[in-house]
Amino acid sequence: MTINPNDLHLLPAHTAAAQIRQGQLKPSVLMQAYLEQVAALEPAVGAFQWIDTELALKKARALDDQAPNGLLFGLPVGVKDLIDTVDMPTTYGSPIYAKHQPAWDAPSVVNTKIQGGIVMGKTVTTEFAVFHPGKTANPHNTSHTPGGSSSGSAAAVAAHMVPLAFGTQTAASVYRPAAFCGVVGYKPTFGVINRVGAKQLSDSWDTIGTMGNGVVDAALLAAAASGRHDLVLSADKPTDNLPRVGLFLTPQWDQADADSQGAVLACAQRLRDRGVTVIDIDAAAIFATLVQAQIDIMLAESAQALSFEYEAHRALCSPRLVKLIEEGNTIDNKRLQSARAVVRQARAALASLFKDVDLLLSPAACGRAPEGLGATGDPIFGRIWSALGNPGLALPWDKPAIGSSSALPLSVLLSGPYGEDQSFLQAAQRVELLIY
């Protein structure tokens, strides 16, 4: 791919990595291109909680004369401010930790550095990855939310201020901001990327995911961060196999607006037009109760995970967080065990959804990003997938260029079988190529 030197920030991450390996591009030149985007757009977007541009450029220059080594060599990476970094402050989106400096890097960050990635800065998270928003605005229209809780990562990747970034998801915190900002947000199977060093909210659901401006890029960061190099996709030789797709409207279909419903149905039709077998999938009755089960378990576990902050620093917690913790404390063991039983039944039913298909197609969010920065949007369309633990990604369907208009992106969601991340990503890449 040839590109104007002034537009290096628009290079796909995997293309930039290839050019660095081939000696056609220096890490410092690439970093400078992203830093210029930061200088131009960060004042309005507010995607970064912490960034030292001189340090980022210094790190890149240190790689200029080294032999390229690693999947991410020379690529800038944004790390959600929920994930510990030894050389950058980590606030978890809370004033309680405004001056917190971890003593170590989370394993996902260690692996990123081992693979040659340059941690460029910490991206904004909502308070403890819950609902109270940070400063970030949607780069497509700054009067609209970027979603949450991985708001800064989605906005930074969408605005081409960084090519790759980490998110985390407990309910819909990768899918929703990715959908609202028009980037690919990949949530691997639960536990594929080591969760140690990410501030815990709900031990049953917390998952580290990745964001990029394409399926290949999001998969690249996940492969590096997890050590699962089998997740790397070939941009030059994608699979020729046509995936079988299940149209899964989910029990929450009526909560998607006309735009979101239309995107899912139009995507299904385009795939049919291009030779893909698309099958209507009926939701098992158990999936109708899975959302409430996910909420109950998340609330109960969050109350425990944030018990210190609640007891010792309640005045520095947002009113909404206090309410969430207090609600979680009211969930008794009987209710919690009932919720866990629902999850077990739903997970047992998950395999049947993939009996005749490779992927499921469903809404990624209720619609386009809502106006206002006081909330991050409804997570309803991510909850069942977080509870099921299977891999999935938000895939842009309608993605206007930054600065081209005031239009907002619209996305669909692809989901795959539990534990089958390699084949899922290959199928998702094929769908991406087919629909564009």
Side-chain angles (χ1 to χ4, degrees):
M1 173 184 287
T2 58
I3 195 165
N4 187 309
N6 295 325
D7 293 330
L8 288 174
H9 60 285
L10 299 179
L11 278 175
H14 66 275
T15 302
Q19 292 190 5
I20 290 172
R21 286 194 301 271
Q22 295 160 8
Q24 300 171 359
L25 178 63
K26 288 187 175 295
S28 64
V29 175
L30 182 65
M31 178 66 77
Q32 185 62 49
Y34 285 110
L35 292 177
E36 289 173 4
Q37 278 292 100
V38 171
L41 298 181
E42 174 63 7
V45 175
F48 286 94
Q49 182 66 32
W50 188 94
I51 186 169
D52 183 332
T53 56
E54 292 184 5
L55 178 61
L57 192 55
K58 180 180 179 181
K59 290 179 178 179
R61 285 173 176 157
L63 298 182
D64 280 351
D65 296 323
Q66 294 185 24
N69 182 29
L71 296 177
L72 304 175
F73 189 86
L75 296 182
V77 178
V79 175
K80 183 177 179 177
D81 195 33
L82 198 76
I83 301 173
D84 288 340
T85 45
V86 70
D87 54 354
M88 299 178 183
T90 303
T91 75
Y92 313 126
S94 169
I96 298 170
Y97 296 97
K99 298 181 180 179
H100 176 55
Q101 181 62 63
W104 69 328
D105 279 331
S108 55
V109 176
V110 172
N111 288 339
T112 295
K113 292 179 177 179
I114 289 172
Q115 293 300 318
I118 304 168
V119 177
M120 183 176 175
K122 303 301 289 289
T123 56
V124 170
T125 177
T126 61
E127 179 190 32
F128 298 119
V130 193
F131 297 114
H132 186 67
K135 64 180 179 178
T136 310
N138 195 307
H140 292 273
N141 185 326
T142 55
S143 67
H144 287 247
T145 179
S149 62
S150 306
S151 45
S153 289
V157 171
H160 299 285
M161 292 192 282
V162 69
L164 301 168
F166 285 107
T168 67
Q169 178 158 312
T170 305
S173 292
V174 169
Y175 294 161
R176 188 168 79 263
F180 285 174
C181 292
V183 301
V184 170
Y186 167 47
K187 183 193 77 66
T189 295
F190 180 79
V192 164
I193 299 177
N194 190 295
R195 302 179 301 150
V196 171
K199 177 67 172 172
Q200 189 180 98
L201 182 64
S202 174
D203 189 48
S204 294
W205 312 141
D206 294 346
T207 304
I208 295 178
T210 60
M211 297 189 183
N213 276 301
V215 175
V216 174
D217 288 354
L220 179 66
L221 179 56
S226 65
R228 286 277 306 273
H229 293 190
D230 61 303
L231 301 182
V232 175
L233 297 172
S234 172
D236 297 326
K237 295 180 180 179
T239 178
D240 290 329
N241 296 330
L242 290 178
R244 301 165 301 165
V245 175
L247 179 58
F248 184 59
L249 303 185
T250 81
Q252 294 76 41
W253 177 252
D254 289 344
Q255 296 189 50
D257 67 16
D259 283 348
S260 185
Q261 291 182 356
V264 172
L265 298 177
C267 182
Q269 187 56 52
R270 185 171 298 177
L271 290 172
R272 288 190 184 101
D273 292 343
R274 296 181 179 178
V276 174
T277 298
V278 179
I279 301 171
D280 291 336
I281 302 292
D282 291 328
I286 192 66
F287 292 112
T289 57
L290 185 55
V291 167
Q292 188 59 53
Q294 191 275 339
I295 291 172
D296 286 352
I297 294 170
M298 176 179 166
L299 287 174
E301 292 185 346
S302 297
Q304 292 298 308
L306 300 175
S307 57
F308 169 76
E309 289 80 3
Y310 178 78
E311 294 296 338
H313 299 286
R314 197 174 311 175
L316 294 177
C317 296
S318 71
R320 190 166 187 183
L321 181 65
V322 170
K323 181 180 179 181
L324 179 147
I325 292 172
E326 292 177 346
E327 185 176 353
N329 284 328
T330 68
I331 297 175
D332 60 24
N333 187 61
K334 181 179 180 181
R335 180 174 165 188
L336 187 58
Q337 292 308 312
S338 177
R340 294 195 187 282
V342 169
V343 173
R344 287 194 296 272
Q345 293 174 55
R347 288 185 171 182
L350 177 66
S352 67
L353 299 184
F354 293 99
K355 181 179 179 182
D356 298 310
V357 299
D358 304 301
L359 297 173
L360 296 176
L361 171 65
S362 64
C366 293
R368 302 179 196 269
E371 188 171 8
L373 302 181
T376 59
D378 191 336
I380 188 69
F381 283 103
R383 289 192 183 276
I384 65 170
W385 305 114
S386 289
L388 292 167
N390 58 317
L393 60 81
L395 184 66
W397 171 255
D398 178 12
K399 181 180 178 181
I402 297 291
S404 63
S405 68
S406 60
L408 292 158
L410 191 63
S411 297
V412 297
L413 187 70
L414 301 178
S415 302
Y418 189 97
E420 301 295 332
D421 288 69
Q422 182 188 44
S423 59
F424 164 71
L425 287 169
Q426 291 170 345
Q429 180 192 17
R430 187 68 172 134
V431 168
E432 180 183 41
L433 294 170
L434 286 168
I435 67 173
Y436 295 155

